[in-house]
Amino acid sequence: MVRGLKTRLLSKDPFVSLENVLSPSSLAFAKRQNKSTIDSLGDPSSSPRMKMVKDILDSKEKIKYAYLVGKQNVYNYWQDDSNPRGLWRRQKYTSYTSNGGDGEWETVIDLDDVNKKEGKSWVWKGSRYLPLTRDATNTDDVSRAMLMLSPGGSDAVVVREYDLKEKRFVEKEEGGFRVEEGKTRVTYADRDTVILGAVGVEQGDGTDSGYPRTVRVWRRGTDISESEIVYEGEKEDVAVSGYIDDQRKRGGKMWVVWQRSKTFYTGEYWVREGMEGESRKLNVQEDADVSFFGKLAVVELRSEWTRGDKTYKKGSLITTDAKKFVEGGEEEWSVLFEPTDNVSLGGHCYTKSRVILSTMVDVKSKVVFKQWTGEAWKVTNEDKGEGTCDAKNVSPVDGENGEDIWVTVSGYDKPSTLSLGKADVNMGEEYITKDIASLPDLYDKTGVSVSQGFATSRDGTKVPYFIVTPANFKPNSDTPTLLYGYGGFEVSLTPRYSATVGKTWLERGGCYVQANIRGGGEYGPSWHQSALKGKRQNAYDDFIAVGEHLIKEGICTRETLACSGGSNGGLLVGMMLVQRPDLWGAIHCAVPLLDMKRYHKLLAGASWMAEYGDPDVEEEWEGWIKDISPYHLLEQDREYPPTLFTTSTRDDRVHPAHARKMVAKMERMGGGKWPVYYYENMEGGHGGAADARQMSYMMALEYDFMWDTLTKGKPKEF
């Protein structure tokens, strides 16, 4: 039992009907709660914060991020006040790199226009294009793509083939590929063949988590029901997928991969060369990730692995000959990256000849470039020093054919800058060659200060956090302070520029803090695994420690400290509500998990049992899950701080019933004594909003709620 809390199980859940997403009674509940919340907190439409946020989201001064498709064009997805759902557009690469995206754009598809013509509410979810290397009929430029269109913002999408030259959908009647709504994965094998993972082609082809259970090869001109099943997983798996890792331009092979995700972190890889022939299961740990680079296989380890007389650390990147690895021959492994106590791997990517390692030194970015000599990996360049309170993201422009890279640098007080660079420069030389575009200051950051601190958790672990203080800040214990966290799924919270936080919080005199608690990936797999399943309390102790530390340091008091989190972070702050209600002046809980007894039966919940455990296994429910289920930990005789729950009807990842049921139970148990508020956006998916207007409305509601609650009885602006 956690800190003396009593677990209150519902013998029969009286609010289970709220799990019926679109039932009249569920929607009536949501609308009634929405009205009550707006009546109590005020209409965000009249808040200055809504206009501030919308102006930021619609700003035409945003960096026009783009990616190279084929030989000539970069593509960009753009939204503003005139195009709320967005334009997919393109520009010549040479023009883009010379004018930062301010040159003439050619619209490829206007999604607002499509919605108007079709009477739909499509939300853009990306594209998958046909690579030139797999299009034997075309050597000019990329001509086809699959567009992912979501109804209302859900994870489920409708896949529609699009002709990039004629700028029109390739209709089903003329042989175009189209897959109806589902959590589909698709990639082109060649111009007339796709590798497909889809749910609903036939009965039983989905997993318990709602993802594809089969991989199919589908040929143009045939019905999807006639597509050949080439790989199958189990119903209990999270998902299976098929994709192509084409290394021919780097001197390697075209590998076709079937990946079976047995849990969120474990699975199997089956690989074959080309579209024909026998697939072989790779001899690798089930929790490892595999990719290919030229003639090498690259394996990222989540646990220690012993091969021969050598043991490789968890969090390492190791490489071996790809052909031998696939065929089961004798392997010789080389270390590409090995972590230390305070250095971990944030990610890696490939250019033509270099591997780029994005490392974190106490959560601060450092980029390292390495090259394979034929015998070992050597460092060819790296960032000087040990990093600052900024984040640096690096990706290839065209990794198959060249060394050019995109470099984005961003920090809490540093507006993002997009630059062009070279991966193959020598040690000590500047690899950034040209600034492409910079985001202007979208909030007044005069006097804003950024630093990193460490709090001591209950078991003595040092927990890093970043703190952003406003102009004229003095530790007077009275500053409205917002603590944000996540702590799960090996997700790292790194520094980033957020004009919306700056405008809605820092400019008003508030302090913003981001906690890097266990469960995340800030120190690699070990940091994540130290808060898995029965160790989950470590993440909550870490977050509490940061909150207590802020109070001890005189930054704020309990009355002026708020916490916020979404998704798994919603579970985090839900636990703060029931475990330490005395520590917070206000809580914002977004798209949360809260009912951990039934989470695995709702939408994608079954896929997260590797993170939280299986409630149907008595030892796991009794052992720890019941103690991390806020819905069951509410107590009638406690005092809870003002709390705002927000979610989306169209969220098909984390079920809106978590928030619905929590609010319904708090209202019944509290009899009106607990200040609890709820708002359910009718569109938006797991992101909570479908366009800038909806996003600005939600953010104004959330930030005004926290600010007004923390400053009650004090001036609105500090």
Side-chain angles (χ1 to χ4, degrees):
M1 200 66 65
V2 179
R3 298 196 178 187
L5 290 181
K6 297 178 180 178
T7 300
R8 293 177 177 268
L9 285 178
L10 302 175
S11 56
K12 185 177 180 181
D13 187 345
F15 308 113
V16 72
S17 64
L18 292 174
E19 294 176 6
N20 189 331
V21 177
L22 298 177
S23 72
S25 59
S26 292
L27 293 178
F29 171 86
K31 291 174 182 177
R32 183 171 65 251
Q33 292 290 338
N34 288 358
K35 183 178 185 304
S36 175
T37 292
I38 299 307
D39 288 346
S40 298
L41 301 181
D43 187 350
S45 300
S46 61
S47 166
R49 252 60 58 190
M50 181 170 175
K51 184 179 186 307
M52 291 174 183
V53 173
K54 193 168 187 301
D55 286 347
I56 290 170
L57 297 177
D58 285 337
S59 171
K60 290 180 170 55
E61 296 182 285
K62 294 178 295 188
I63 295 177
K64 301 166 182 67
Y65 290 105
Y67 55 95
L68 183 67
V69 175
K71 298 177 179 179
Q72 305 172 18
N73 295 307
V74 293
Y75 281 69
N76 159 266
Y77 199 75
W78 181 258
Q79 294 172 288
D80 57 28
D81 54 350
S82 301
N83 307 279
R85 290 300 167 96
L87 302 173
W88 195 37
R89 56 190 192 171
R90 63 191 171 203
Q91 185 174 152
K92 296 298 182 186
Y93 173 71
T94 52
S95 171
Y96 179 81
T97 55
S98 65
N99 62 44
D102 287 334
E104 185 176 349
W105 289 95
E106 176 192 0
T107 297
V108 179
I109 189 169
D110 181 334
L111 197 56
D112 292 280
D113 185 56
V114 172
N115 283 344
K116 183 178 179 180
K117 289 178 178 177
E118 298 185 354
K120 299 289 187 180
S121 182
W122 297 123
V123 175
W124 181 261
K125 290 289 184 174
S127 62
R128 306 288 185 272
Y129 67 89
L130 168 61
L132 281 171
T133 53
R134 301 203 285 275
D135 188 358
T137 66
N138 174 35
T139 58
D140 177 25
D141 207 355
V142 172
S143 60
R144 292 286 175 92
M146 299 288 190
L147 305 190
M148 313 296 178
L149 303 179
S150 163
S154 60
D155 286 353
V157 296
V158 172
V159 178
R160 299 169 68 176
E161 191 173 24
Y162 200 77
D163 189 308
L164 298 177
K165 293 185 175 181
E166 298 182 7
K167 296 190 291 188
R168 65 177 184 85
F169 289 109
V170 184
E171 300 297 342
K172 192 174 181 180
E173 294 74 22
E174 56 181 317
F177 293 111
R178 177 173 175 134
V179 187
E180 297 307 323
E181 185 178 345
K183 295 182 178 181
T184 303
R185 288 125 184 239
V186 62
T187 187
Y188 280 101
D190 58 45
R191 186 177 182 84
D192 296 318
T193 311
V194 296
I195 297 173
L196 176 70
V199 178
V201 179
E202 61 182 40
Q203 188 173 2
D205 61 1
T207 66
D208 290 339
S209 301
Y211 297 101
R213 188 185 62 79
T214 61
V215 178
R216 297 169 174 269
V217 173
W218 184 20
R219 291 177 172 80
R220 191 182 301 280
T222 65
D223 190 80
I224 192 172
S225 63
E226 300 171 6
S227 56
E228 177 190 3
I229 296 176
V230 293
Y231 185 76
E232 292 188 62
E234 300 295 331
K235 191 172 183 295
E236 296 77 19
D237 293 343
V238 171
V240 300
S241 60
Y243 59 91
I244 292 174
D245 196 332
D246 194 345
Q247 294 297 318
R248 291 175 294 180
K249 289 291 189 72
R250 297 192 183 99
K253 307 288 186 180
M254 187 178 86
W255 302 110
V256 179
V257 183
W258 317 135
Q259 184 179 5
R260 177 189 176 200
S261 299
K262 297 167 72 173
T263 72
F264 207 86
Y265 306 109
T266 63
E268 299 173 352
Y269 287 89
W270 292 76
V271 180
R272 71 187 186 194
E273 183 183 343
M275 286 297 292
E276 305 298 333
E278 179 184 0
S279 297
R280 296 174 180 267
K281 181 182 175 183
L282 296 183
N283 179 23
V284 67
Q285 288 176 299
E286 287 197 338
D287 61 353
D289 288 332
V290 178
S291 60
F292 295 92
F293 175 69
K295 296 180 179 180
L296 300 174
V298 183
V299 176
E300 183 173 359
L301 300 176
R302 282 198 181 96
S303 56
E304 287 188 350
W305 196 29
T306 299
R307 305 296 289 166
D309 59 355
K310 174 71 174 176
T311 297
Y312 301 95
K313 290 183 180 180
K314 67 171 68 175
S316 295
L317 272 184
I318 59 175
T319 64
T320 191
D321 180 87
K323 193 170 186 297
K324 289 182 180 179
F325 185 46
V326 171
E327 294 178 353
E330 187 174 347
E331 306 152 0
E332 294 182 9
W333 293 89
S334 298
V335 176
L336 174 55
F337 171 83
E338 185 174 76
T340 65
D341 288 344
N342 72 324
V343 180
S344 63
L345 185 66
H348 65 285
C349 61
Y350 311 124
T351 63
K352 180 78 170 179
S353 69
R354 299 294 195 272
V355 175
I356 306 172
L357 305 175
S358 297
T359 68
M360 291 184 290
V361 184
D362 284 325
V363 207
K364 298 175 181 178
S365 293
K366 182 174 182 179
V367 178
V368 180
F369 299 83
K370 286 195 171 184
Q371 184 178 28
W372 178 245
T373 67
E375 296 180 351
W377 290 97
K378 72 171 184 178
V379 176
T380 60
N381 207 347
E382 62 182 349
D383 284 336
K384 304 176 183 69
E386 294 301 322
T388 61
C389 293
D390 304 327
K392 187 176 289 184
N393 296 307
V394 181
S395 61
V397 173
D398 180 4
E400 288 185 342
N401 297 300
E403 305 297 337
D404 287 351
I405 54 176
W406 303 116
V407 183
T408 301
V409 180
S410 177
Y412 298 107
D413 61 343
K414 180 180 288 186
S416 303
T417 298
L418 173 67
S419 302
L420 197 62
K422 286 281 188 184
D424 58 346
V425 297
N426 296 322
M427 179 69 77
E429 296 181 11
E430 179 55 60
Y431 59 85
I432 295 178
T433 58
K434 180 182 181 180
D435 289 342
I436 302 299
S438 295
L439 189 68
D441 286 332
L442 295 175
Y443 76 94
D444 183 3
K445 59 183 182 60
T446 305
V448 168
S449 178
V450 180
S451 60
Q452 186 182 42
F454 290 83
T456 302
S457 193
R458 195 180 187 189
D459 63 359
T461 299
K462 298 296 183 183
V463 182
Y465 64 87
F466 292 102
I467 180 168
V468 190
T469 54
N472 304 315
F473 170 76
K474 293 180 181 179
N476 60 6
S477 299
D478 205 27
T479 306
T481 300
L482 172 55
L483 176 59
Y484 178 80
Y486 187 77
F489 295 93
E490 209 171 325
V491 172
S492 302
L493 297 184
T494 55
R496 64 188 179 91
Y497 181 76
S498 174
T500 52
V501 171
K503 203 74 179 172
T504 61
W505 201 261
L506 295 172
E507 274 193 7
R508 301 176 84 180
C511 178
Y512 179 79
V513 185
Q514 185 168 280
N516 300 113
I517 63 178
R518 280 175 284 185
E522 288 87 348
Y523 290 104
S526 296
W527 195 247
H528 169 236
Q529 292 163 11
S530 62
L532 271 182
K533 294 187 175 181
K535 301 176 183 177
R536 201 84 198 163
Q537 184 59 37
N538 286 333
Y540 307 141
D541 286 342
D542 290 356
F543 199 70
I544 289 167
V546 175
E548 291 177 335
H549 179 80
L550 296 172
I551 294 172
K552 183 179 178 181
E553 291 294 304
I555 308 297
C556 56
T557 64
R558 176 263 175 190
E559 290 78 14
T560 60
L561 176 62
C563 65
S564 177
S567 192
N568 172 76
L571 173 60
L572 166 69
V573 299
M575 284 300 296
M576 295 303 100
L577 172 71
V578 298
Q579 197 168 80
R580 285 298 306 274
D582 60 304
L583 188 58
W584 315 101
I587 295 175
H588 170 226
C589 184
V591 289
L593 287 89
L594 295 166
D595 179 358
M596 300 305 288
K597 182 65 175 176
R598 288 183 51 77
Y599 83 92
H600 62 315
K601 300 181 185 299
L602 302 173
L603 298 174
S607 64
W608 309 320
M609 288 193 288
E611 182 81 9
Y612 305 119
D614 184 349
D616 289 340
V617 176
E618 185 176 0
E619 292 80 2
E620 297 188 9
W621 171 256
E622 291 294 333
W624 68 83
I625 301 175
K626 69 179 184 180
D627 293 325
I628 61 167
S629 184
Y631 183 58
H632 297 96
L633 291 171
L634 289 166
E635 294 195 52
Q636 199 153 1
D637 55 354
R638 304 196 86 190
E639 294 295 327
Y640 293 110
T643 304
L644 170 65
F645 296 88
T646 58
T647 188
S648 165
T649 310
R650 292 294 305 186
D651 189 347
D652 58 350
R653 193 181 312 174
V654 177
H655 202 296
H658 285 279
R660 289 173 175 176
K661 290 163 58 176
M662 187 75 167
V663 169
K665 186 177 181 184
M666 290 185 74
E667 285 191 335
R668 179 176 294 187
M669 288 181 67
K673 69 175 181 177
W674 296 330
V676 56
Y677 308 97
Y678 178 88
Y679 194 89
E680 180 174 322
N681 192 33
M682 298 301 168
E683 286 190 310
H686 195 51
D691 54 36
R693 188 200 65 77
Q694 293 178 21
M695 180 64 73
S696 57
Y697 184 93
M698 297 297 290
M699 292 189 72
L701 174 67
E702 296 154 5
Y703 281 96
D704 277 351
F705 158 73
M706 289 185 285
W707 185 269
D708 292 348
T709 302
L710 298 186
T711 61
K712 186 175 292 185
K714 301 183 180 68
K716 292 293 183 182
E717 312 295 334
F718 275 56

